[in-house]
Amino acid sequence: MTLLSVRFVVATLCLTSLAASSPARAQGVRPRSTSELLIDSARDVLVSKRAAPSAADLAHARALLGAAQRLDPASVDAAAFRFELESLAGDVDAANEALDRLIEVDPDNDVAQARRLARGPVGAQSRESAQKWYENALEKAPTPVARALAHVKLAELAIERLDRDAARKHAEEARTLCPDCAEPAAVLLDLLPADAAPVERIAAILAVLRTNPLAVEAAWQAAFLLDDLGLFADAEPFYGHAFRAHAYKTAGPPPLNCLLRAAENAYLRGQTGQAGAILTTALAGEPPEDWARLLRLGWLSEACGMRDRGRMLMKRLAENAARCSVVPDNATPENDAYAAWYYAFVERSGEKALPLAESAVRRAPDNTVAIRALGWAQSMVGKTDEARSTLASIAARDAASAARLASMLRDAC
């Protein structure tokens, strides 16, 4: 035995002796075992220095934890710490082995079970073999949470196979097993059909946010949906939550489209100052190239009193629209649609908007912006019956068309 080994044994025995003779023992507190003292020593090696642990520190901590596990093979703390250490070190194989060992000694550990399910089968696997692995994991899962997460992974595999019915069944079973788990709610939201009723979509979004308040994309979805339904005051809390969740998770500003939608919501609620503050953030970067965001940014800038920037953006829009109007069919249907919408909504010129909208609808009959622009243009040039029919065809999914149609029906009374 080397001198270093002798010193280590003596130090360990001294620590054990001191623990046994401490006042805590006299008061009935169980003294720390040798295995626990080794775990504490390993922890001290990794956290006692200001710098990140070196390779030597990791090796030292591994040796201490290995000794702790040999002394007490059933130690959950040693197994958990060993998994943390190998994950920190970036040794994937060792981390996988440590995770399996942790589950052996603590099978009811839902966090460890979730990590193994997230990892999936080790090594290259076909979709079929992966499914068998998750089915086996589901059969052996010891807790409702573990079974729920196995169902989620099987739902994800079903989505990859385009079997949405099977995916929905697995996700619903997962939600039944664990109503407070975030993963089933997220899968069920993703599985909603595009034409799902707004109340159904809102309910699915709320389920996601209840289980995962930091699901920022779900908060944006709720805000946009309520805006599209004209429920601007109801959308506002979701915008606020989305901003807070984004700031918690990300250092930079939200995406430009989210800023524009939030600014528009504030403006439509009569909060011009709040809209202007959001626009200031949106205007910090380069102007967008696409019609939709450029049009919204220009219109909102002028509406909120930021006239210099608004005029610059509107000038760019007018130039783009003029290029489209020379020969409408030369531009893409999308560009013609937005040029028509610019003329109808900004310049209030039905005569300029109509040929562009007709061209866009002829070539892209399902384009919502084109249909909306056509309906507005028809109403502006006196084609009332055609306008009502056009706007009614998309009023259920387009707030601007529904508003224009309602205005026409009111005026007709």
Side-chain angles (χ1 to χ4, degrees):
M1 182 178 291
T2 65
L3 180 60
L4 180 60
S5 300
V6 171
R7 287 175 176 172
F8 179 79
V9 171
V10 170
T12 301
L13 292 174
C14 289
L15 286 169
T16 306
S17 176
L18 286 171
S21 61
S22 67
R25 182 175 178 84
Q27 297 173 10
V29 178
R30 182 184 68 80
R32 305 284 285 170
S33 69
T34 304
S35 175
E36 290 170 334
L37 291 170
L38 289 167
I39 295 170
D40 290 343
S41 298
R43 187 176 291 111
D44 289 341
V45 168
L46 297 181
V47 303
S48 62
K49 300 178 181 179
R50 294 182 180 180
S54 64
D57 294 330
L58 293 172
H60 187 181
R62 278 195 192 95
L64 292 169
L65 287 175
Q69 289 180 295
R70 286 191 295 275
L71 284 171
D72 184 3
S75 171
V76 174
D77 288 342
F81 194 6
R82 185 61 178 267
F83 172 62
E84 292 174 10
L85 184 149
E86 300 302 352
S87 299
L88 174 68
D91 189 331
V92 175
D93 292 337
N96 287 336
E97 182 180 347
L99 180 58
D100 292 338
R101 174 72 178 276
L102 173 58
I103 291 173
E104 284 179 15
V105 298
D106 189 15
D108 292 340
N109 188 324
D110 285 326
V111 174
Q113 293 281 358
R115 294 292 292 270
R116 183 162 70 172
L117 286 165
R119 179 198 73 191
V122 177
Q125 301 284 332
S126 66
R127 186 178 288 114
E128 290 75 15
S129 61
Q131 180 166 341
K132 289 180 181 179
W133 190 90
Y134 285 115
E135 288 172 347
N136 184 58
L138 173 61
E139 184 179 345
K140 295 180 178 179
T143 67
V145 172
R147 290 194 293 275
L149 296 177
H151 274 297
V152 168
K153 300 305 292 188
L154 288 168
E156 292 172 352
L157 286 174
I159 291 173
E160 292 180 12
R161 300 194 310 270
L162 303 181
D163 189 346
R164 298 176 70 84
D165 290 338
R168 190 173 291 106
K169 288 179 182 178
H170 279 297
E172 288 173 350
E173 183 65 27
R175 182 173 59 182
T176 301
L177 286 164
C178 185
D180 294 327
C181 287
E183 294 84 356
V187 172
L188 287 169
L189 176 59
D190 290 340
L191 285 170
L192 279 182
D195 60 351
V199 66
E200 186 180 1
R201 187 168 295 277
I202 283 292
I205 292 171
L206 290 175
V208 170
L209 291 173
R210 185 185 70 82
T211 54
N212 180 15
L214 292 178
V216 64
E217 290 301 323
W220 291 125
Q221 284 187 45
F224 296 169
L225 176 57
L226 292 168
D227 260 352
D228 292 341
L229 295 171
L231 303 173
F232 307 122
D234 295 296
E236 190 275 333
F238 288 97
Y239 279 113
H241 182 77
F243 275 119
R244 289 189 293 272
H246 178 89
Y248 183 85
K249 296 175 69 174
T250 310
L256 177 59
N257 183 57
C258 297
L259 290 170
L260 295 177
R261 293 292 298 259
E264 187 176 45
N265 173 270
Y267 176 77
L268 293 171
R269 289 187 290 104
Q271 301 296 320
T272 305
Q274 182 184 2
I278 297 172
L279 278 177
T280 299
T281 301
L283 290 165
E286 290 294 319
E289 294 296 330
D290 60 286
W291 272 93
R293 293 186 297 175
L294 190 61
L295 180 56
R296 183 175 264 125
L297 187 57
W299 170 73
L300 282 171
S301 296
E302 288 204 338
C304 293
M306 306 169 75
R307 292 185 175 82
D308 290 342
R309 192 61 182 267
R311 277 194 293 269
M312 181 190 73
L313 295 169
M314 285 301 180
K315 180 181 178 182
R316 179 180 297 188
L317 284 165
E319 292 170 350
N320 291 347
R323 283 194 293 270
C324 291
S325 63
V326 174
V327 182
D329 288 348
N330 280 0
T332 65
E334 183 178 8
N335 283 347
D336 275 351
Y338 275 108
W341 179 234
Y342 166 81
Y343 283 130
F345 181 68
V346 178
E347 292 198 5
R348 308 290 180 179
S349 173
E351 291 79 7
K352 290 182 178 180
L354 188 59
L356 287 163
E358 289 174 337
S359 172
V361 169
R362 185 173 63 253
R363 292 178 292 147
D366 295 327
N367 187 302
T368 299
V369 176
I371 298 170
R372 180 205 306 156
L374 178 61
W376 277 56
Q378 288 169 334
S379 70
M380 297 168 80
V381 299
K383 296 184 176 183
T384 305
D385 291 340
E386 294 94 323
R388 287 177 180 171
S389 177
T390 301
L391 294 169
S393 68
I394 59 169
R397 69 174 189 266
D398 186 65
S401 296
R404 186 71 174 186
L405 180 59
S407 177
M408 292 176 66
L409 294 173
R410 181 197 61 202
D411 294 343
C413 294

